[in-house]
Amino acid sequence: MRVCFGWRQFLLFVMLVFFLSHLLSVLELHHDPTSSHKTKSKKFNHLVFGPAAGEGLPNRLQCKGNKALNKACVSATSNISNGGDGVSFVTVFTVYNSTVGGTSSESTNVGKVSYNKVDRSMAILNTFINFIQLMMPQSDTIILTDPASSLPLKRNGVTVFPVQGEYSRDKLMLQRIRSYIAFLELKLKEQLRKPGKRINNIIFTDSDIAVVGDVGEIFSKYGDFDVALTFRNNKQQPLNSGFIAVRGTPDGILRGKIFLEEVLKVYRSKYMEASRMLGDQLAIASVVKLYTSLDAKAFGARQPFLEDINGASVLFLPCAVYNWTPPEGAGQFHGMPLDVKVVHFKGSRKRLMLESWNFLQSSSSNDLSDMLCLVLRSGRTKYDF
């Protein structure tokens, strides 16, 4: 009897310890149930720096603070012309507030400038144009927009082209593909009216990119492709839609149009639930997989390659060079390639795009590589954009 009574006391003691520890955990959770979430989602109104990724790795930008120890791309003072001639950068952009330059309770300070939501969107668009005109001065920029959207944008080398469609936030990615198709149809009609007229090569991009190298070289460097896409080592989303190039020939434009029409068809039939974002990337990947036997291994390499897709010659370019994303996303563990041509400030990195341009303009050396060190060292936290 004594033995049984002793075991009962022991079991009661164990149960009491378990109950008290569980109770303490619950009390701690109720005391601050979102503490871990707050830590992860906290936003800052300034850049937060860390060591530059890729230290010691070959063919990667090496930095000491914001000073580049080796040089990436080309200097912003070299005034690129090779490849810049005959390239049109085309983006889709609209505003959702008619009050531009007005006051707003949701303001953001970047340097000495305060922006409301619309103003900072316009600042990003202007910075997008600034990088293009600095790095590829012989190119032009075309803004496809909602006819109801009055863009306060008057700049040399920039054309605002209204395209009818549905530009709500939930349908913007879908409308972007439609607008690209409408633009290519316009170019085909121009060819019919004026046979033999020279058409620029076309690069469709997001408006939150910075061109930091000569991307026009792809049209002479990689053979007679019709369409170019950028790929990354990501099994779920191997292709990014933020950079799509189309060769400016009648055949190239026609095949580019047919390719995007196929993407739009797949988008509507399979990915409408992702129409706010990612739907276009999933649709592009679906079309590519439909006509090729490409697998994850093909997208894991860094070398460009060609594939025939529904009659179009499609060039696949590595995101690491033509669509590189700052730390907090792709590339953060391996640093920045020295031959990077496009930096994509996707998501919460918009502040970093404006800060980078301000840094470049204020730098006495006007050194693009130093600016890229600023980009490489930042981005390890969420910003307020």
Side-chain angles (χ1 to χ4, degrees):
M1 294 295 291
R2 290 179 181 175
V3 174
C4 291
F5 183 72
W7 273 106
R8 286 175 181 173
Q9 282 184 317
F10 177 74
L11 289 173
L12 286 171
F13 174 76
V14 171
M15 291 174 66
L16 181 62
V17 171
F18 174 79
F19 174 76
L20 288 173
S21 62
H22 179 70
L23 180 63
L24 288 172
S25 298
V26 172
L27 289 173
E28 184 179 354
L29 181 63
H30 280 284
H31 176 69
D32 191 0
T34 59
S35 58
S36 60
H37 175 71
K38 285 180 179 178
T39 300
K40 290 182 180 179
S41 62
K42 184 177 181 181
K43 295 184 179 182
F44 292 84
N45 61 358
H46 58 276
L47 299 183
V48 177
F49 296 107
E55 183 176 352
L57 294 179
N59 302 318
R60 294 295 188 271
L61 181 65
Q62 303 297 311
C63 305
K64 185 176 182 180
N66 291 337
K67 188 68 178 176
L69 302 179
N70 53 1
K71 300 298 179 182
C73 309
V74 293
S75 170
T77 59
S78 65
N79 204 29
I80 301 173
S81 59
N82 182 32
D85 187 18
V87 175
S88 292
F89 289 89
V90 183
T91 192
V92 172
F93 183 89
T94 190
V95 292
Y96 296 98
N97 187 329
S98 59
T99 307
V100 179
T103 59
S104 171
S105 57
E106 297 184 34
S107 62
T108 303
N109 291 324
V110 179
K112 297 180 180 180
V113 182
S114 180
Y115 301 100
N116 63 25
K117 283 188 176 181
V118 177
D119 292 336
R120 70 193 189 199
S121 294
M122 291 302 302
I124 291 164
L125 179 63
N126 275 291
T127 302
F128 163 74
I129 297 167
N130 290 342
F131 274 109
I132 291 172
Q133 294 187 345
L134 177 69
M135 301 308 300
M136 299 179 64
Q138 296 184 56
S139 64
D140 65 336
T141 306
I142 298 167
I143 314 296
L144 308 180
T145 190
D146 183 357
S149 176
S150 180
L151 295 183
L153 189 68
K154 294 182 180 180
R155 297 187 56 170
N156 292 332
V158 179
T159 302
V160 176
F161 184 77
V163 178
Q164 290 289 345
E166 188 175 358
Y167 288 83
S168 64
R169 293 183 189 276
D170 289 341
K171 296 293 192 298
L172 188 58
M173 293 299 99
L174 186 67
Q175 179 57 43
R176 183 168 70 169
I177 299 297
R178 290 172 174 156
S179 296
Y180 289 172
I181 293 170
F183 181 78
L184 294 177
E185 287 175 344
L186 174 69
K187 292 301 173 183
L188 287 174
K189 290 177 181 178
E190 287 181 0
Q191 275 288 307
L192 290 175
R193 289 197 303 267
K194 299 180 180 179
K197 179 185 176 182
R198 179 175 171 275
I199 301 178
N200 284 356
N201 294 314
I202 300 161
I203 300 179
F204 295 112
T205 75
D206 289 352
S207 58
D208 55 359
I209 71 159
V211 174
V212 296
D214 180 9
V215 294
E217 68 176 12
I218 64 173
F219 295 101
S220 58
K221 185 177 180 179
Y222 293 112
D224 195 22
F225 69 89
D226 300 307
V227 178
L229 305 171
T230 54
F231 69 89
R232 57 197 173 191
N233 189 16
N234 185 314
K235 290 182 180 180
Q236 300 301 319
Q237 300 168 31
L239 300 169
N240 184 272
S241 58
F243 182 103
I244 302 174
V246 177
R247 189 175 293 279
T249 62
D251 286 344
I253 293 173
L254 177 60
R255 289 166 186 161
K257 173 178 170 288
I258 293 171
F259 175 81
L260 290 176
E261 285 173 337
E262 183 76 5
V263 170
L264 182 62
K265 178 181 176 182
V266 172
Y267 198 151
R268 285 170 167 165
S269 64
K270 296 176 65 175
Y271 300 110
M272 286 303 292
E273 73 280 2
S275 60
R276 187 179 180 93
M277 61 183 301
L278 300 181
D280 53 344
Q281 296 182 165
L282 295 172
I284 291 172
S286 183
V287 170
V288 168
K289 291 175 182 177
L290 180 65
Y291 290 99
T292 70
S293 58
L294 294 175
D295 55 18
K297 186 178 180 181
F299 296 121
R302 190 175 177 269
Q303 297 303 315
F305 60 93
L306 280 165
E307 288 286 333
D308 184 81
I309 297 178
N310 196 23
S313 177
V314 178
L315 171 67
F316 292 85
L317 297 166
C319 280
V321 178
Y322 294 94
N323 203 342
W324 186 84
T325 302
E328 193 189 38
Q332 67 172 320
F333 300 111
H334 303 294
M336 181 185 291
L338 282 171
D339 55 350
V340 67
K341 301 289 192 295
V342 173
V343 177
H344 193 169
F345 296 92
K346 65 179 71 168
S348 62
R349 301 164 181 83
K350 306 294 189 291
R351 165 181 288 277
L352 180 55
M353 182 176 180
L354 299 184
E355 297 266 18
S356 299
W357 176 256
N358 291 343
F359 176 87
L360 183 63
Q361 293 300 101
S362 63
S363 173
S364 58
S365 63
N366 200 31
D367 195 317
L368 187 71
S369 294
D370 290 348
M371 184 207 77
L372 293 177
C373 280
L374 175 86
V375 173
L376 188 57
R377 291 181 58 234
S378 62
R380 286 171 170 78
T381 187
K382 294 290 184 182
Y383 303 132
D384 59 349
F385 273 32

